[in-house]
Amino acid sequence: MSLKTINAAPGFQDYLPKEYQDLLEDGPFFKQRKVSELGSFKEVIEEHPMCSGCAMTLFIRLVYLGLPSLEHTVICGTAGCGRLAISQGAVPFIYGNYGDTNAVASGLKRGLDIRFPDTPKDVVVMAGDGGLADIGFHGVMHSWFRKEKFTTIMLDNEVYGNTGGQDSGMTQKGMVMKMAPTGKKFEKMDMLGLAKTAGVAYTARIAPTNPTRVANTVRKAVLIAREVGPTFIQAYTSCNIEYAIPTPKVMDDARDVEKDRYGFVEYFSDDAKAYWEESEKERKRLRKAEKK
Amino acid sequence: MAQVKESSYAVVPGPEGILPPAATIMGVPLPEEGEGLVEGKIVNEAEALEKAAIALLTRKNATLFPGPLVLWGWNDHTNDKAKYFFDVAHELPGIRIIPMPDYRPIYPKIDPEAVINPCHPNLTIWHNKIEACVFIGVHCHYANITLRMVRAGTNCYTIALCAEAGHEDAMCSVPNFDIEKLVRFRDAIIKVKKNGIKPLYEGKGIVPTGWAQISRLSGGNIEKPEDESVGAGVTAAFAHELETGLDETAE
Ligand SMILES: Cc1ncc(C[n+]2csc(CCOP(=O)(O)OP(=O)(O)O)c2C)c(N)n1
Ligand code: SF4
Ligand SMILES: [Mg+2]
């Protein structure tokens, strides 16, 4: 496999559908695009069948923007709303069985490192709160304890959205849901605390209110995972259907929830901090050199 | 040598019904090197190539479906193979080319003029009224399910030119399909034409399809697919043991 992958074989370019021609000519491969460039280049996701206004779709779009090298990335997902959009992206996607994502990603990352020792290949798990904190919990925790070098992104809509409103471990205590009519009985799980305990190199909690921050956080998490160890992003991505948030109010809700209990926090292990500071310095130096 | 050479099950154009059995379950074996598989029976390679050539020359709106393994120039081998793919295409008057660039479940909207997708290949075949097709460069696990879906819902004669073991679920298949076999396939097409098979679309070149999207090739000159030859009412809803319907009261 090589960078040539993203080229049609001779003679075939004209037979490709327009979407693919645009991806080849003006896609986000081989260069890091910025939020300010959205709308001016061909994105890897064309359309999706998720509910209109779903905050998760906005977040997923921003994740694609933040990934540092799309052409060398494999995303692992599972059952849940997010995969309906993620599987449409022009980035390799592996559908693990519900609960298997982090085990699949562990094997995949190790295999890619053996197969391509000279090219960093990024593996990113992106799945729901139910998929990661409930049914996939043991796989997530063990991948962290084993220090597997990939990023886990939790699309935390605080509910089983795809199956119609059961409470998950990440649902807030007391929340009444369609299929939790007497209210959630237990506290929201502290996945960030668990990640720290398990030795995760970088963790972040984020809401999709600031697109540049989302893209930068994703980029940071993936680069740290590449060099240091497991990273984890817990993202508030409201389910406007199960939480009855009117579509035009989805971003208002995100801002309110962010202010109330989902503010941006990030945590670096010592190794991750040292690596990140050093690589930031290096990037600044390169930018300066480029300007000259 | 394969142990089983014969099965009473014929892999023929459908529509075979909602749930056709996998041909392998019906005892259809895979061809070995030097062999081909035609409608569930092992034949020699030359015979299989000629059967494929005749289907593509004589059935309506015949189409080549290049898959990711030939479509993308991901190594020197695929870049070389592309040339021989087009050599074959140029021997088939009126042939259409519709790519399967990847296996993303294109959803909610597929553009069946421009693309074929393994999750619903029948849509592309119905829409373009394709009665013979070639799958080439499609990974086996997707080709298998695609071929069954096509057999289930369409009257299309499927040909799988497979780089690996061949496909029982295609009406015609040849294994280990490398550049040499592409050359032999081109020669087989030339031979059957010489032997008197008259191409249905004599005198035509490659017909650009997905016209809305590849106007660069067609120059806006749109050629709609011809109506299919199988009319309504000929199709079976179920095949084989399902023909009589399921006994819903059975325990
Ligand atoms: C092993 C297994 N158990 C149950 C299911 C059914 N299932 C599909 S999606 C889903 C819930 C998804 O919730 P979450 O992971 O939070 O994703 P969301 O839809 O909320 O984004 C469940 C239980 C399944 N597909 N596999
Ligand atoms: S059910 Fe909820 S999470 Fe799923 S697509 Fe709809 S709004 Fe989004
Ligand atoms: Mg959820």
Side-chain angles (χ1 to χ4, degrees):
Chain A
M1 202 156 77
S2 70
L3 295 186
K4 286 187 281 181
T5 351
I6 307 174
N7 265 323
F12 280 114
Q13 169 116 8
D14 281 338
Y15 290 92
L16 285 173
K18 181 86 173 85
E19 182 199 347
Y20 291 85
Q21 298 196 9
D22 289 351
L23 271 175
L24 294 179
E25 282 161 21
D26 194 23
F29 301 107
F30 314 121
K31 49 192 157 215
Q32 184 89 46
R33 300 286 196 163
K34 297 195 198 91
V35 169
S36 56
E37 291 175 88
L38 277 174
S40 70
F41 66 95
K42 178 70 185 174
E43 291 173 61
V44 290
I45 194 154
E46 178 89 340
E47 55 183 3
H48 64 77
M50 293 171 70
C51 301
S52 85
C54 175
M56 201 182 280
T57 61
L58 167 66
F59 186 82
I60 290 168
R61 186 180 178 200
L62 296 172
V63 169
Y64 280 128
L65 195 73
L67 291 172
S69 52
L70 279 171
E71 58 284 355
H72 292 298
T73 302
V74 183
I75 298 181
C76 284
T78 187
C81 288
R83 60 86 211 251
L84 295 169
I86 303 166
S87 60
Q88 316 267 329
V91 176
F93 170 72
I94 292 181
Y95 183 98
N97 264 340
Y98 204 54
D100 287 356
T101 46
N102 284 49
V104 171
S106 301
L108 183 66
K109 175 63 182 162
R110 291 184 193 193
L112 288 169
D113 284 350
I114 294 168
R115 175 73 179 76
F116 303 100
D118 304 323
T119 314
K121 295 279 178 185
D122 300 324
V123 173
V124 175
V125 168
M126 184 154 43
D129 47 317
L132 296 177
D134 292 355
I135 303 186
F137 183 66
H138 65 292
V140 170
M141 290 306 297
H142 277 278
S143 72
W144 288 348
F145 279 118
R146 289 193 311 265
K147 306 283 184 289
E148 304 285 353
K149 287 173 141 183
F150 62 83
T151 300
T152 304
I153 299 177
M154 179 193 283
L155 303 166
D156 181 18
N157 57 1
E158 308 188 314
V159 65
Y160 286 30
N162 203 210
T163 42
Q166 299 81 3
D167 57 318
S168 85
M170 299 300 283
T171 305
Q172 293 223 97
K173 188 174 178 185
M175 193 68 210
V176 174
M177 317 241 64
K178 262 193 219 132
M179 288 193 231
T182 58
K184 164 94 182 286
K185 295 276 186 286
F186 313 99
E187 299 291 343
K188 181 177 174 86
M189 286 168 72
D190 178 15
M191 285 299 284
L192 294 163
L194 287 165
K196 242 185 268 180
T197 304
V200 168
Y202 172 78
T203 59
R205 181 179 69 188
I206 198 165
T209 52
N210 178 337
T212 300
R213 185 158 66 196
V214 172
N216 286 346
T217 303
V218 169
R219 188 168 134 263
K220 197 186 295 183
V222 172
L223 290 175
I224 292 175
R226 220 187 252 176
E227 299 298 331
V228 185
T231 58
F232 174 55
I233 297 174
Q234 181 187 309
Y236 179 67
T237 55
S238 71
C239 172
N240 47 328
I241 297 297
E242 294 307 332
Y243 279 80
I245 308 165
T247 301
K249 297 272 181 225
V250 164
M251 291 315 291
D252 292 345
D253 165 79
R255 275 186 284 270
D256 290 348
V257 170
E258 181 180 45
K259 214 184 219 165
D260 185 28
R261 60 186 176 83
Y262 225 105
F264 179 68
V265 288
E266 56 180 357
Y267 159 82
F268 294 79
S269 70
D270 292 343
D271 287 350
K273 196 168 185 66
Y275 160 74
W276 190 248
E277 283 174 358
E278 201 45 48
S279 65
E280 282 286 71
K281 262 192 227 154
E282 179 62 11
R283 268 188 292 277
K284 263 192 201 140
R285 195 186 61 73
L286 286 174
R287 271 201 299 270
K288 252 194 197 159
E290 244 173 51
K291 271 188 192 155
K292 280 182 193 165
Chain B
M1 287 292 275
Q3 296 216 312
V4 190
K5 287 280 171 185
E6 285 295 316
S7 160
S8 57
Y9 183 74
V11 182
V12 289
E16 188 162 338
I18 296 166
L19 257 183
T24 185
I25 287 174
M26 304 308 287
V28 174
L30 281 170
E32 293 190 8
E33 180 51 35
E35 296 177 336
L37 191 61
V38 173
E39 301 184 4
K41 305 275 180 287
I42 299 285
V43 297
N44 65 44
E45 182 190 295
E47 186 181 337
L49 291 179
E50 284 182 24
K51 284 271 165 33
I54 292 169
L56 292 172
L57 288 166
T58 58
R59 294 175 71 95
K60 286 188 182 173
N61 308 315
T63 303
L64 306 178
F65 295 130
L69 289 168
V70 295
L71 199 59
W72 298 106
W74 58 290
N75 59 21
D76 293 341
H77 176 70
T78 39
N79 283 331
D80 292 345
K81 213 167 178 179
K83 173 188 170 307
Y84 296 94
F85 171 92
F86 282 102
D87 282 354
V88 167
H90 287 301
E91 288 303 330
L92 296 163
I95 195 78
R96 291 158 191 270
I97 298 175
I98 299 181
M100 187 186 275
D102 56 38
Y103 310 126
R104 286 189 276 169
I106 302 172
Y107 183 63
K109 192 189 116 255
I110 177 187
D111 185 348
E113 285 150 12
V115 76
I116 178 161
N117 188 266
C119 304
H120 30 54
N122 48 327
L123 298 184
T124 296
I125 289 175
W126 284 335
H127 187 94
N128 299 289
K129 304 179 169 89
I130 296 167
E131 294 190 352
C133 72
V134 168
F135 286 94
I136 181 167
V138 178
H139 289 85
C140 300
H141 50 298
Y142 279 104
N144 274 341
I145 188 73
T146 299
L147 288 163
R148 261 178 88 195
M149 272 191 262
V150 173
R151 199 161 95 246
T154 81
N155 65 336
C156 185
Y157 190 96
T158 51
I159 299 159
L161 303 181
C162 174
E164 307 284 339
H167 284 284
E168 325 85 343
D169 283 299
M171 277 119 238
C172 181
S173 180
V174 174
N176 309 322
F177 218 84
D178 52 13
I179 285 176
E180 278 170 33
K181 291 197 185 182
L182 272 170
V183 173
R184 290 213 281 277
F185 187 35
R186 184 204 58 189
D187 294 346
I189 300 168
I190 295 171
K191 181 176 161 200
V192 299
K193 285 193 285 190
K194 227 186 231 158
N195 288 351
I197 296 293
K198 199 174 142 14
L200 188 60
Y201 303 110
E202 184 88 74
K204 281 195 183 164
I206 298 173
V207 178
T209 181
W211 48 78
Q213 306 230 354
I214 53 167
S215 49
R216 245 194 277 175
L217 280 181
S218 62
N221 201 0
I222 294 166
E223 192 156 347
K224 293 223 172 202
E226 213 185 340
D227 273 348
E228 60 233 290
S229 40
V230 175
V234 189
T235 61
F238 295 100
H240 302 291
E241 67 269 36
L242 289 180
E243 225 158 51
T244 49
L246 295 168
D247 180 359
E248 286 176 11
T249 56
E251 288 287 296

